[in-house]
Amino acid sequence: MIQRFERINFLRGKLKLPGDKSISHRAVMFGAMADGISMLHNCSESEDVSSTINCFEMLGCRFEREGNDVKIFGKGFKNFDEPKKELYAGNSGTTARLISGILAAQNFESVITGDESLSNRPMKRIVEPLRIMGANITAKENGTLPLRIRPSAYLNPVHFKLPIASAQVKSALILSALHLDGESEIIETLPTRNHTEKLLGLKCEDDAEGKKIFVSKKNYPEPFELNIPSDISSAAFFIVTALLTNNSELLLKNVSMNPTRTGIVHILKSMGGRIEIENMIETMGEPVGDLRIYSSQLTNIEIPKEIIPNIIDEIPILSVAGVFAKGNFKITGADELRVKESDRIKSLCENFKKAKLDVFEFDDGFEISGSVCNENVSFESYGDHRIAMAFAVLSMLMKKGGSVSGFDCVAISNPNFKAQIADLR
Ligand code: S3P
C-alpha cells in the first residue's frame, strides 16, 4: 500500500498512546508463565505483541482481550503444553529471542519460525549463550530461523558476560535462568533496556565489570496486575513532528520514562527541543510521566556512542530531526542497525538520497547534509515499521508532502499512527 502524506503545519492537543511494546511482550510472557490470573491494562496494540500472545496460546495459555485490557490465564512453572505446530513469531525479534529462553527449559520439543525479515536476522547471539547453559537449541547453519529446541539433559546456571549490548539476548538468558535452582550471574557492560529486570524485581549490582544481574528460580513470576506505560518509541515520531512544525503544542500522557529508554528525549533536548516532563510516577518499578512538546529550532550535536543502545529504535526518526536541525547529522557506532527489521542504515540512506540530501554511508552509521528538495518524493518502507513512520514524518515536513510505499507495516508497532496524527492537526 502506498500512503500519501500532505504537509502539515502543526500538531496540537493531547494523545495517550498504547502501551510500550517491550514491556507488553514481557508482561504477556510473565503472565503466561505465572500460576494464575494476571491482568494487563493499556497493553500494546502492535502485531508484534499479538505474535507473542499467539505463541503462548499455542503453548496452552488462554487470553481474554477487551480493548487494551488483557487477562492472562497463566500455566505455572514448566506447565506449558507441547505445541502441535511450529511457533510463528511473525516479524518480532523480541518474541523469537525471549521465548527461546523459556522453551529451552521445557520438557518438550518446539520450533520457532518467523516472516521473511525475521528469518534473515541473526539468532546465533542467543543460540550460543543458551548452549553454554546446556540448552539443546539449534538454528540453521547460517545462524537464522527456524530455531529447534529440544529438552536438555541438564541446564546449568551461568556466569556470563554479554558480548553485545542487546536486551533481547540478556532477557533470553534471564528467562532460562528463571527455571534453575542455582543462581546465574549475567553481566552487561553497556546498559540496555532493563524491563525484564524491573518487572521480575531482580537483584542488580554495578561494579567495575559492569552491571551484574542475579537470577534463579526464586525470581519466577507470580500473577500480577500492571498498567503498562505508553510506548516512548512510538511517542518519538510525535515528539519530532511537534518540535519541527511551527505553532505546535502537544501533550503525550503516561509515557514510559525508564532511563534506559529516554535517550531520545535527552538528545532532542540537547539539540534545543523544548520538552517538559510532568507528573512523574512509578508502576512496578517503571517510571512514567507526561510530556509537553513545543515547536523548537534544533541544532545537531555529537551523539555519544555509549547512548546508542538506549536510542537504537529511535535512530530513524532522530535522523529525520537531524535533517531539519542546523549542521550535519552524523551517527556512528550503530552497526546493530544493520540487523533490525531491515538494514536500517541502508534503508535510511537510500530514502534520504531520494529527498536529494547528501548522504555518506559508513559501516556503522551515516552522515547527512544539505536540504530536502521541494519535490513530491516517493519513499520506501522496506517493510520496516520504523522506517515507514520516519518517512511519513519527513513527508509531512516537506513542502509538497510525499508518499511511503508498503506503509501498512506500521501495524508491527502502531496500527493507528495515521489516525493519531489526523486527530492532532
Ligand atoms: C528490544 C530490544 C532491542 C530493540 C527491540 C526491542 C526488547 O533489540 O531494538 O526493538 O524489547 O528487548 P536488541 O536487544 O537486539 O538490541
Side-chain angles (χ1 to χ4, degrees):
M1 182 189 88
I2 299 177
Q3 183 64 54
R4 164 104 196 125
F5 291 91
E6 302 301 337
R7 179 179 173 83
I8 64 168
N9 296 314
F10 59 84
L11 278 192
R12 280 188 164 268
K14 185 162 91 175
L15 175 65
K16 181 168 184 280
L17 286 161
D20 184 78
K21 186 156 81 70
S22 288
I23 299 177
S24 298
H25 277 298
R26 288 158 172 81
V28 166
M29 291 183 187
F30 301 160
M33 292 162 78
D35 186 7
I37 296 179
S38 293
M39 191 67 211
L40 313 182
H41 305 288
N42 199 38
C43 186
S44 164
E45 295 172 343
S46 64
E47 278 183 6
D48 268 6
V49 171
S50 296
S51 294
T52 293
I53 292 179
N54 293 341
C55 287
F56 281 95
E57 276 176 341
M58 292 187 60
L59 292 165
C61 219
R62 194 156 70 80
F63 294 85
E64 280 175 10
R65 197 160 187 156
E66 218 183 293
N68 291 342
D69 284 352
V70 180
K71 192 173 191 176
I72 310 171
F73 298 81
K75 293 291 280 182
F77 191 73
K78 288 203 185 186
N79 235 348
F80 288 119
D81 298 345
E82 178 165 358
K84 295 195 175 64
K85 286 194 297 189
E86 294 170 343
L87 299 169
Y88 180 67
N91 191 253
S92 174
T94 308
T95 308
R97 294 189 178 123
L98 268 62
I99 209 173
S100 301
I102 301 171
L103 294 172
Q106 309 299 320
N107 298 321
F108 51 75
E109 184 170 331
S110 48
V111 175
I112 304 172
T113 62
D115 71 4
E116 199 188 326
S117 149
L118 187 58
S119 300
N120 282 307
R121 295 179 65 187
M123 293 294 154
K124 261 194 196 139
R125 52 182 61 199
I126 55 151
V127 168
E128 283 171 357
L130 284 172
R131 277 205 190 152
I132 293 173
M133 285 181 92
N136 189 345
I137 175 169
T138 52
K140 259 175 42 181
E141 211 176 322
N142 65 358
T144 58
L145 294 182
L147 292 172
R148 185 172 293 275
I149 304 166
R150 298 188 173 91
S152 132
Y154 66 95
L155 207 57
N156 286 321
V158 274
H159 174 102
F160 188 78
K161 193 166 175 174
L162 294 158
I164 44 171
S166 162
Q168 293 178 352
V169 177
K170 169 176 72 176
S171 300
L173 292 176
I174 292 176
L175 293 185
S176 227
L178 274 179
H179 294 83
L180 306 176
D181 289 323
E183 190 170 66
S184 293
E185 205 175 303
I186 295 154
I187 302 145
E188 110 176 322
T189 45
L190 259 190
T192 64
R193 65 194 68 196
N194 61 3
H195 308 301
T196 304
E197 299 92 296
K198 286 272 179 197
L199 293 176
L200 292 170
L202 300 183
K203 185 175 119 193
C204 301
E205 272 171 15
D206 289 313
D207 69 11
E209 228 185 334
K211 181 175 103 168
K212 287 197 170 112
I213 305 156
F214 301 92
V215 54
S216 75
K217 203 164 144 185
K218 281 191 264 168
N219 307 106
Y220 195 84
E222 288 183 1
F224 60 95
E225 181 165 6
L226 178 64
N227 212 333
I228 301 176
S230 297
D231 195 318
I232 188 163
S233 299
S234 296
F237 297 97
F238 295 88
I239 298 173
V240 168
T241 312
L243 289 174
L244 294 178
T245 40
N246 295 323
N247 308 314
S248 286
E249 183 179 341
L250 178 65
L251 176 62
L252 295 174
K253 295 289 293 176
N254 275 15
V255 183
S256 164
M257 285 284 107
N258 181 311
T260 61
R261 299 286 297 284
T262 46
I264 181 69
V265 173
H266 297 307
I267 291 185
L268 288 169
K269 281 175 87 162
S270 312
M271 289 170 75
R274 188 170 161 212
I275 305 172
E276 289 164 10
I277 304 168
E278 303 167 353
N279 302 327
M280 286 287 286
I281 52 157
E282 226 180 78
T283 142
M284 268 180 91
E286 290 285 349
V288 186
D290 296 340
L291 298 183
R292 231 176 245 285
I293 304 111
Y294 301 87
S295 317
S296 306
Q297 276 290 330
L298 302 184
T299 303
N300 278 308
I301 56 163
E302 195 177 318
I303 300 171
K305 286 192 179 148
E306 315 77 71
I307 204 170
I308 300 288
N310 192 312
I311 58 164
I312 193 74
D313 291 342
E314 289 71 63
I315 293 171
I317 188 61
L318 180 61
S319 59
V320 170
V323 165
F324 293 93
K326 274 190 220 139
N328 295 358
F329 176 84
K330 185 175 178 188
I331 192 143
T332 56
D335 39 345
E336 274 292 306
L337 287 179
R338 296 246 180 233
V339 290
K340 293 293 177 191
E341 287 83 329
S342 69
D343 172 345
R344 285 188 176 154
I345 294 180
K346 186 166 158 278
S347 309
L348 288 164
C349 289
E350 292 304 316
N351 273 330
F352 285 129
K353 281 183 209 159
K354 289 178 201 265
K356 307 270 162 38
L357 289 155
D358 296 320
V359 179
F360 292 94
E361 182 175 336
F362 317 122
D363 285 345
D364 63 346
F366 55 95
E367 182 167 0
I368 326 164
S369 55
S371 305
V372 285
C373 62
N374 286 335
E375 292 156 29
N376 172 5
V377 179
S378 301
F379 297 107
E380 174 63 57
S381 71
Y382 296 92
D384 182 332
H385 55 128
R386 299 202 198 278
I387 297 295
M389 288 184 280
F391 287 92
V393 171
L394 180 59
S395 297
M396 291 187 281
L397 297 169
M398 289 173 67
K399 273 213 176 78
K400 293 191 174 156
S403 58
V404 181
S405 70
F407 187 73
D408 21 355
C409 67
V410 294
I412 290 297
S413 59
N414 185 7
N416 296 317
F417 174 80
K418 237 186 78 202
Q420 290 154 352
I421 290 274
D423 279 351
L424 297 169
R425 37 185 304 216

